[in-house]
Amino acid sequence: MTEPAVVADASRCASCGEALIPGDQFCEACGAITSDGAAAGMPMEGIAQQAPTSGAGRQLPPNGGASGGVGGVCASCGAGVVDGYCVSCGVKARTARDHWSELPAAWLGGVCDRGLVHARNEDAMALAATADETLGVLVVCDGVTSAPESDRASLAAARAACQSLLSAGLTVPSGTSAAAIAGWAAELTAAAAAGNAEAVGVARILGNPPEPPSCTFVAAVVARPDGQHDDQALISVGWCGDSRAYWVPDDGEPIQLGRDHSLGTEMIDAGVAVAKAEADPTSHTITRWLGADSVNATPDLVSLQVATSGWLAVVSDGMWNYASSPAEFAAVVRDSIAGDDPVAIAQAMVAVANGHGGHDNITVALARLDFPTPTN
Amino acid sequence: MANFSAQVFQNEYLAEGSTDANAVVSVTCTDAGMAGAGATGEAAEVIIVDTSGSMEMPVAKINAARRAAKVAISEIVDGTWFAVVSGHSVAQMVYPTQPGLAQMNDERRAAAIEAVGRLSSGGATAIGAWINAATELFSFRPHAQAHAILLTDGRIEGEPEGTLEAALRRAEGKFQCDCRGIGADWEVAELRGIADALLGSVDIVADPDDLADDFGEMMRRSMGRGVSDVRLRVWAPQGSEVLFVRQVAPTVEDLSAKALQEGPLIRSYPTGAWGDESRDYHISVRVPPAPVGQERLAARVELVVDGNVVAKGLIRALWSTDVQRTTRIDPAVAHYTGQTDLADRIQRGLAAKAAGDTDAATVLLGEAAKLAHQSGNENTTRLLAKVVDVVDADAGTVRLKKNIDKADEMALDTRSTKTTRIRREPQP
């Protein structure tokens, strides 16, 4: 009688007492990490480990991912936080799942943010660099809002895809780029398959609901210029759905790498004006995705060799909705540059999207490609 | 060891600018154990039997009271502190003979039963004095889980106005009291007032032959309440207003007026002792609206025993522009809102009838018939059918019956607060 029942019961969140679905890695109600989440290596410490450098504590969200659900400060009124909510005004504290940043290398980082309107952050990202920092991997997945628990599918898929690429033994192209591109194509396809398997696995844990959780997929592999080859950098992108990659050179024409799998793109292909197609309510309906009900989870692929310095951006539609064309997008990137910290720039871009209303979740992942300034 | 759990039923989505969060919190207690077996280790029972002169008219009533008291005594478990009081113009000790509580064992059980057999009647109905006597008796064991059964057959006569109210103010929080009216000459409002103040039940026993079973059942239930003094604690955010806290199952009891302010944002409400049972609470909180997409905790509801939180539920408010989400009413909230309205229409309808306003009574009882029919509350539908002829249940059209048995009307009144539970899963 003296032991709180909420603590004794493993089927409930230790922090707030909300019922948990077996396999839940964080509490839906308060965002606290569950024992399953800790066991699966999903705790927010995991995110912090992926971002080992610089900016003490910056990667941890305001409530520190406190698994006790107690601690932190309310972003709205400054009072304390219990059960994931402010003890005074009751406003929900931002959880580690709502907003986080990753900075696996000084030239590679990103921000994933709930935005202002959606109750959950169904976007996810996973970023990594090889130990020698010659290669970077950027994965963004955007959970499908109409399918419950897509926030879980997107995070699991993004992390699995990133891990798949890291463990594939990616090599920097030597000799012809064509050989590297061919190799990476297979690895990007395998990464999408790994992400798809995770999304399907989440559906299975949930008992295969009629609307299984699902998400978009975009992964980029980038080889940095190292000055030893022919002074070219290589970017390879694979995607399913409408999360995008853009190349924004410091000088020159920005481009979008790939085309959305969406009804909007199909409308444009059928001759509808871009502005009209993008304004159509169905334009965001995607035609390719990862998940148990996916009919085609094979990514389309595109590669690009670049010879000038610039930024590779991998983003969800919560970002590009406010700057769709490569020129508009590049303008947002360039306006957001202050210093060379990719997380700071990504955060500034997220702020732009939130400034426009933050109607969707927002993810911005950036990789900086720098060519040595010519010596003469 | 008792185990509490709480489950919240609500639609957390509010339209932009909306302020009112409603939820049903369903609390279940299991493994409660026996009364007096908990940390405080003591239980106390006082049985108050009306022995006013009217109990002899007919003599079946005093005979039934004697039998019922015996049954109740035999249900009191060994070790419980107890007393039997005879209530007329004053409260008089039946067992033990001197003011105080006896600790139950075989010998005292037999002696108490024997003493009850000698009960005789005469004098007035002074319920305030009887309540005062119970309060004094329980003060002999101030830490015991205290429960009384009060039986009367009439309305208060023979004590100054305000005596009962003063007695209730002294008794509140010291013991719980289940009230029973025998026959049809007592006042429903009077007993309901006692039961409300002292966290007990009220019911009519129209047939004296049913009294013994009812007393046995009441005492068994009391002995099965192994967790004493459970409080419902409600936190609500700065700038909010708790509109009401209402028990809605098994009966409708508005707890709002019983709030104890524990802190600037925290109120607590007494719920008395618990056995193995479920109770549902409808809680309504008005919170300051937040921007679309933001979520606010509208209330944290905790069950507190001996200062420990034993179960917790969170009532949330989440502002959205999604009309499909914001316009849905949670089925539990809708059901219990209907059941509360049902009790309200019956009580107001019968009051209107008593005041001679037949038109108002017909409209109100018609609404009640409709609500009872729609919610599948068969007991209330059956009780209503003894007071009105239902012409069209779906439309709520009724006619007041010509010759209504007073006891049927009183049964409808006292049992109007009994609710049906919402069916949460479709039955196979």
Side-chain angles (χ1 to χ4, degrees), chain B residues 191-212:
Chain B
L191 285 202
R192 178 176 287 141
I194 298 168
D196 281 353
L198 303 183
L199 304 176
S201 63
V202 58
D203 204 358
I204 181 170
V205 183
D207 184 347
D209 285 344
D210 295 335
L211 192 64

Side-chain angles (χ1 to χ4, degrees), chain A residues 176-359:
Chain A
T176 67
S177 299
I181 291 169
W184 289 3
E187 283 146 8
L188 283 166
T189 303
N196 189 53
E198 283 297 315
V200 172
V202 171
R204 196 180 313 118
I205 288 167
L206 296 172
N208 294 315
E211 283 206 75
S214 50
C215 61
T216 68
F217 169 80
V218 58
V221 178
V222 56
R224 302 170 74 205
D226 61 1
Q228 291 177 18
H229 296 290
D230 48 1
D231 261 357
Q232 295 249 326
L234 185 61
I235 301 166
S236 217
V237 177
W239 77 99
C240 295
D242 66 354
S243 297
R244 293 182 177 176
Y246 292 88
W247 168 244
V248 181
D250 293 350
D251 300 297
E253 282 291 299
I255 57 166
Q256 182 189 341
L257 300 169
R259 304 190 72 220
D260 301 344
H261 300 121
S262 71
L263 293 183
T265 304
E266 290 183 4
M267 276 186 261
I268 292 163
D269 287 349
V272 178
V274 172
K276 193 179 173 202
E278 287 185 348
D280 191 283
T282 67
S283 71
H284 279 264
T285 303
I286 54 174
T287 53
R288 207 180 284 195
W289 62 90
L290 308 188
D293 60 348
S294 172
V295 286
N296 184 359
T298 307
D300 275 340
L301 303 164
V302 66
S303 293
L304 180 72
Q305 282 180 283
V306 296
T308 63
S309 299
W311 291 95
L312 168 67
V314 179
V315 300
S316 64
D317 61 347
M319 182 69 240
W320 68 250
N321 271 335
Y322 304 110
S324 175
S325 74
E328 290 168 313
F329 188 88
V332 172
V333 175
R334 288 166 183 157
D335 288 349
S336 300
I337 292 172
D340 56 5
D341 176 359
V343 168
I345 299 167
Q347 184 57 58
M349 292 175 68
V350 166
V352 169
N354 278 327
H356 280 99
H359 292 102

Side-chain angles (χ1 to χ4, degrees), chain A residues 1-6 12 15-18 28-30 76 82-83 85-92 114 116-119 145, chain B residues 1-4 6-7 38-39 226-227 235 237-238 265 292-297 300 305-306 308-312 314 316 318:
Chain A
M1 168 153 64
T2 54
E3 268 294 301
V6 289
R12 294 185 171 272
S15 169
C16 73
E18 187 77 5
E28 295 295 343
C30 73
S76 182
V82 170
D83 292 340
Y85 295 91
C86 172
V87 296
S88 176
C89 72
V91 165
K92 186 170 188 173
R114 182 173 67 92
L116 298 178
V117 173
H118 281 215
T145 305
Chain B
M1 193 176 70
N3 192 2
F4 282 85
Q7 209 178 353
V227 189
W235 173 96
Q238 191 76 46
L265 305 178
V292 164
Q294 209 172 72
E295 181 178 335
R296 198 193 285 287
L297 187 63
R300 180 187 289 103
V305 178
D306 295 337
N308 296 309
V309 176
V310 295
K312 175 163 72 173
L314 301 180
R316 305 182 300 147
L318 211 165

Side-chain angles (χ1 to χ4, degrees), chain B residues 4 14 32 41 74 86 95 135 158 163 168 240 270 277 297 323 365 370 392:
Chain B
F4 282 85
L14 294 181
S74 62
S86 153
Y95 190 90
T135 306
T163 306
L168 290 177
S240 68
E277 60 184 305
L297 187 63
V323 177
L365 294 174
K370 181 178 174 177
D392 183 344

Side-chain angles (χ1 to χ4, degrees), chain B residues 265-305:
Chain B
L265 305 178
I266 299 174
R267 289 162 193 77
S268 79
Y269 304 81
T271 70
W274 285 60
D276 289 353
E277 60 184 305
S278 280
R279 302 185 200 176
D280 292 349
Y281 297 90
H282 182 174
I283 294 163
S284 185
V285 185
R286 180 162 293 164
V287 294
V292 164
Q294 209 172 72
E295 181 178 335
R296 198 193 285 287
L297 187 63
R300 180 187 289 103
V301 182
E302 296 171 324
L303 272 287
V304 180
V305 178

